Amino acid sequence: MEFGPALYHEFGEAWKTRDGYRLAKTISPELTPSQLSSIWQSANGAGSYKAARDDDVKAAIKRGLSSSSARLDGIGQKEIKGWVEVYFAYWQAAGILAQVQQTSSWTNAYEQWKVLINALIQGYNSHEFEAWTIPCLYVAGKHLRLFAMQADEHISVNDSSATAFQDDFDPELQKHQKLEDCARVLNKVFTICLSDRAPLEESRKWGLYYIVNLLFKTYFKLNATGLSKNVLRILTAGRGDMPDFHAFPKSQQVTFKYHEGVLCFLEENYAEAEKHLTEAWNTCHKDAMRNKELILTYLIPCHLITTHTLPTEKLLEPYPRLQKLFLPLSRCIKQGELHKFDIALQEAEDEFVKRRIYLTLERGRDIALRNLLRKVFIAGGFEPVAKEGDKPVRRTRIPVAEFAAAISLGSEEKVDNDEVECLLANMIYKVSQNYALPSMFLPGASRHPRLSTLIGGLIKGYISRERSIVVLSKSGAFPGTGV
């Protein structure tokens, strides 16, 4: 779109219909270099903007906007003045972006785009921009973040050779310099939306979750999840004066719930993480495969911890990357193959660490161990029947040595009885949060070989050190497995 009658027509039509998304398209940088160059070089009447002074360009923009909105109600000269500043900044940004592929001047592109978003911020603060125009903030905020990352990448590449001999240079200090600056600008936009006191029907608060999602993405990239939690606390505190969450577009709901779930996941609050991620999964569009893959990346480890359930091959069939990550671990856990589990975890360690799920998946070894011990329990068979007709009862008193033999085979390394007792004690200790610390872990417990049955967790039972046996519960020795 040239910077002339066509743009001014779109401005007038968007204003007439109060269509914020149509208005936002008039400041979109998602154009080809030739289209951006055309905007930069486009003429209005007598001359070329490229050769004109800034005041002349602003005057031309003002005439165009005033002409297109002359017969429209609700737009005053004060508001027109604000939009002149926005479109002037956009015109300057178009000139830089048109050349960015040749010059790699992403830093200049970022700085000029920041001028544009600051002009929008000023418009809402001082020029009475209306709430229906907030999609312009979406476009400006989205691309500010993208240009910041491009600028940081360009700075990093250029500085790597220039600073090779500077011992006092900290490469991490400027690694995300522009993205950190971008976060500060987006925070201003967040404040503009949150602080609006207009009635909800015409409030800027309808832009909150889009901007919050941009902040989450930015903070996650900066590895500053603590700042994301601050945003969550602010939202929670102000929720009474906000539109209902489910009234926002589903795309914004899914993105928000995903990030909220990941934040809980990183705090090891797996029950809450599972709740938020499940809501994101259920709301996500069926064809948004990339988004569903991201949700499953954290939902699968959550299920492993909270319900000890594993993903099926059918569930992972549409996601080859997740198949590669999770299926080998799932098979090892199901079969109780400790050594193979360790190998599978090690082979995908880099990817697990990158996705911040390594430590959670490492706990899957406990489930694998539980399944191995369950095999020993099942292989032990039944107690002799006292009299004919009685229902057979599984053997519940199992020597520690039998578990030791199974663990040694499963891990492919010799494990002594003391270490096995320690492993078993930990398995029994993993009780539900509703139960207090078992007495066997209190001082003096070793002097009491017979202890009361412990409830919950991975195994129900107790260890008799005096006889070197494990006494398992007769009802549900391995909770949740049907054994």
Side-chain angles (χ1 to χ4, degrees), residues 27-46:
I27 61 167
S28 172
E30 295 181 0
L31 303 171
T32 65
S34 61
Q35 288 173 319
L36 290 166
S37 182
S38 176
I39 290 173
W40 172 243
Q41 296 173 354
S42 59
N44 180 19

Side-chain angles (χ1 to χ4, degrees), residues 173-346:
L173 192 62
Q174 296 186 1
K175 186 176 180 181
H176 297 299
Q177 185 180 13
K178 296 302 179 185
L179 195 60
E180 289 174 356
D181 183 61
C182 170
R184 289 189 284 271
V185 176
L186 291 177
N187 243 316
K188 292 180 184 178
V189 178
F190 173 65
T191 303
I192 281 175
C193 294
L194 185 67
S195 60
D196 191 12
R197 293 293 175 260
L200 288 183
E201 298 78 23
E202 50 191 47
S203 173
R204 292 193 296 268
K205 288 181 179 177
W206 286 102
L208 270 173
Y209 281 101
Y210 190 97
I211 302 304
V212 165
N213 290 336
L214 282 180
L215 276 171
F216 281 161
K217 292 176 182 178
T218 305
Y219 289 146
F220 273 51
K221 184 74 174 178
L222 294 170
N223 200 24
T225 54
L227 296 175
S228 297
K229 285 180 269 187
N230 290 342
V231 173
L232 278 180
R233 281 192 285 269
I234 293 170
L235 281 178
T236 302
R239 196 152 281 170
D241 298 325
M242 289 167 51
D244 181 69
F245 175 72
H246 294 97
F248 286 84
K250 284 191 175 181
S251 59
Q252 296 179 22
Q253 294 181 41
V254 171
T255 306
F256 179 80
K257 281 297 175 183
Y258 164 75
H259 285 99
E260 190 175 17
V262 174
L263 286 171
C264 291
F265 181 92
L266 297 177
E267 291 182 326
E268 300 186 5
N269 187 352
Y270 297 115
E272 279 296 302
E274 184 177 9
K275 183 180 80 171
H276 296 309
L277 291 168
T278 300
E279 186 173 346
W281 172 265
N282 291 334
T283 311
C284 190
H285 193 278
K286 61 183 179 65
D287 296 328
M289 303 307 290
R290 174 58 180 159
N291 291 343
K292 294 178 84 171
E293 181 177 315
L294 288 171
I295 295 168
L296 281 178
T297 300
Y298 294 93
L299 190 54
I300 288 171
C302 277
H303 275 300
L304 180 63
I305 298 298
T306 58
T307 63
H308 300 168
T309 53
L310 300 168
T312 62
E313 292 189 16
K314 183 178 180 181
L315 173 68
L316 297 181
E317 187 176 349
Y319 315 102
R321 282 182 290 190
L322 295 186
Q323 286 184 39
K324 185 178 178 181
L325 286 176
F326 291 119
L327 283 183
L329 284 177
S330 297
R331 295 189 187 104
C332 297
I333 291 172
K334 188 174 181 179
Q335 298 299 324
E337 297 172 331
L338 300 180
H339 181 64
K340 289 183 179 179
F341 175 88
D342 293 338
I343 292 174
L345 193 67
Q346 185 178 2

Side-chain angles (χ1 to χ4, degrees), residues 15 51 93 168 207 240 249 314 361 382 385 402 404 458 463:
W15 198 273
D168 59 344
K314 183 178 180 181
L361 291 175
F382 297 88
V385 179
E402 291 186 17
L458 297 169
I463 302 170

